[in-house]
């Protein structure tokens, strides 16, 4: 399988057979590729040595992962066990331990993604086609929940921008909406109206197209576990965790700002932007510091979760106190 770095792929090559990422191959573990992928996931990223970077051998390795960048110099990766046992995923219950328990048998194959709204390429796609031609890369991101805990997570995915460009949005597409699967049979949490189902999230088009915004299909060097949003979720590291919608089944291009599930549920507490901002507290608790899972002392929370150099310019002129 020949996979080039994303920057080498011209759009004319996107359908090139050689670049096709077959999901069977993608899921099939061979010890050789697993070893290579493990090195990629545990290796030194840029100039910073990341400690404790070993993925657990669960047998669902992803081959040919490209090393992405890591801005979190000195931050220790959270262990696989932290990332897969302390989750928010209300479709499977509201306790942090519920998703690991109740998403065990969640069926992620076959998986379809519907594309609709203001775009030329509407339709229903197989997950294989969403991943087709994309180079999976590891990105070590800070993950900051609005509940003031955080982790350092090596996601594996590809820029959402690549996928959006393939959908050919029209000039009316100002925002993108994402929908999670709603399946009460598989998702016991949806039998309780804690949120309005299905879970919905949205991004402004420039946020969605930002190179940091990732469509995630893996964790460490493995296929994404169900409790973390398999088979496809968002990672948008300068925003609070609730923007990172899991198990995406629909992408819709729209003209108006979407109403996301948490904003709909409690508009005084959760906004549309949800940019990590230590200066704007949640009405019921402070956002000035955070508890890194696995650490004892609290850390100071950074504006835009530490990604200000990359994203602050998206919000020039926007009152971030009003637009929380
Ligand atoms: N569909 C769906 N996506 C979701 C949630 C959810 O309840 N349902 N919770 C969000 C919240 S609040 C957080 S903090 C992150 C947690 O991601 P993690 O469990 O992989 O750390 O998922 C987000 N995505
Ligand atoms: Mo969260």
């Amino acid at each position: 399988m020949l996979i080039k770095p994303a920057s080498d792929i011209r759009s004319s090559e996107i359908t090139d057979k050689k670049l096709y990422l077959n999901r069977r191959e993608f899921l099939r573990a061979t010890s050789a590729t697993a070893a290579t992928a493990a090195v990629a996931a545990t290796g030194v990223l840029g100039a910073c040595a990341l400690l404790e970077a070993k993925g657990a051998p669960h047998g669902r390795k992803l081959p040919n992962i490209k090393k992405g960048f890591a801005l979190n110099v000195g931050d220790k990766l959270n262990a696989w066990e932290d990332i897969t046992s302390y989750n928010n995923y209300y479709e499977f219950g509201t306790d942090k331990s519920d998703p690991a328990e109740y998403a065990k048998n969640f069926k992620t194959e076959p998986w379809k993604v519907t594309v609709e709204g203001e775009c030329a390429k509407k339709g229903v796609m197989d997950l294989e086609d969403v991943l087709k031609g994309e180079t999976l890369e590891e990105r070590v991101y800070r993950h900051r929940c609005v509940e003031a805990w955080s982790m350092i997570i090596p996601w594996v995915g590809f820029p959402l921008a690549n996928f959006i460009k393939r959908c050919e949005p029209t000039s009316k597409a100002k925002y993108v909406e994402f929908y999670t699967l709603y399946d009460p049979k598989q998702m016991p949490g949806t039998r309780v109206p804690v949120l309005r189902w299905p879970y919905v999230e949205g991004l402004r088009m420039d946020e969605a197209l930002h190179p940091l915004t990732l469509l995630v299909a893996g964790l460490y060097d493995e296929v994404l576990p169900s409790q973390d949003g398999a088979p496809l979720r968002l990672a948008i590291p300068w925003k609070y965790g609730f923007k990172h919608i899991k198990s995406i089944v629909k992408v819709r291009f729209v003209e108006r700002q979407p109403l996301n599930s948490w904003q709909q549920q409690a508009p005084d507490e959760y906004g549309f932007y949800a940019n990590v901002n230590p200066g704007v507290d949640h009405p019921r608790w402070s956002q000035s510091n955070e508890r890194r899972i696995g650490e004892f002392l609290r850390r100071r929370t950074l504006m835009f979760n530490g990604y200000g150099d990359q994203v602050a310019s998206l919000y020039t002129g926007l009152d971030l106190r009003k637009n929380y």
Side-chain angles (χ1 to χ4, degrees), residues 78-152:
N78 275 93
W80 172 275
E81 286 68 27
D82 294 337
I83 304 167
T84 60
S85 65
Y86 191 87
N87 298 100
N88 268 340
Y89 198 171
Y90 278 18
E91 285 86 341
F92 293 100
T94 54
D95 285 351
K96 300 286 180 274
S97 57
D98 284 342
E101 186 174 350
Y102 298 110
K104 260 190 200 121
N105 300 316
F106 182 58
K107 202 166 165 276
T108 57
E109 277 181 280
W111 194 267
K112 309 253 185 213
V113 177
T114 301
V115 176
E116 56 179 50
E118 290 296 339
C119 66
K121 297 279 154 77
K122 295 192 231 304
V124 181
M125 292 173 81
D126 289 327
L127 180 66
E128 286 83 344
D129 292 324
V130 174
L131 300 171
K132 194 174 187 166
E134 300 294 346
T135 302
L136 293 179
E137 69 181 271
E138 187 196 71
R139 297 276 191 93
V140 177
Y141 279 170
R142 290 198 178 90
H143 182 66
R144 171 58 159 81
C145 178
V146 74
E147 295 165 293
W149 52 267
S150 64
M151 291 198 214
I152 302 291

Side-chain angles (χ1 to χ4, degrees), residues 20-75:
Y20 182 81
L21 180 58
N22 180 294
R23 191 141 187 274
R24 290 247 156 64
E25 281 178 58
F26 165 90
L27 296 174
R28 196 188 300 137
T30 74
S31 48
T33 52
T36 319
V39 169
T42 59
V44 174
L45 300 176
C48 71
L50 292 155
L51 305 171
E52 281 194 358
K54 53 176 173 15
H58 301 97
R60 304 193 78 204
K61 300 282 182 192
L62 289 168
N64 302 314
I65 300 169
K66 178 181 130 190
K67 273 182 275 182
F69 59 83
L71 299 170
N72 320 299
V73 179
D75 279 1

Side-chain angles (χ1 to χ4, degrees), residues 204-224:
R204 213 170 62 187
M205 191 55 98
D206 58 344
E207 300 177 320
L209 291 173
H210 193 280
L212 282 179
T213 307
L214 218 58
L215 263 179
V216 168
L219 170 65
Y220 275 100
D221 53 350
E222 301 195 15
V223 172
L224 192 64

Side-chain angles (χ1 to χ4, degrees), residues 215-287:
L215 263 179
V216 168
L219 170 65
Y220 275 100
D221 53 350
E222 301 195 15
V223 172
L224 192 64
S226 292
Q227 59 268 44
D228 288 279
L232 200 65
R233 68 168 286 162
L234 274 189
I236 177 157
W238 69 95
K239 292 180 182 283
Y240 291 123
F242 68 84
K243 302 296 286 185
H244 302 217
I245 186 170
K246 295 177 170 182
S247 61
I248 296 167
V249 290
K250 187 158 75 178
V251 177
R252 183 197 213 167
F253 296 94
V254 295
E255 214 175 341
R256 301 242 233 99
Q257 184 174 299
L259 182 63
N260 52 306
S261 290
W262 280 103
Q263 192 186 12
Q264 189 264 315
Q265 203 266 346
D268 299 343
E269 302 189 13
Y270 311 102
F272 171 77
Y273 283 95
N275 290 324
V276 174
N277 188 344
V280 177
D281 287 339
H282 184 279
R284 292 185 279 134
W285 58 79
S286 166
Q287 293 295 4

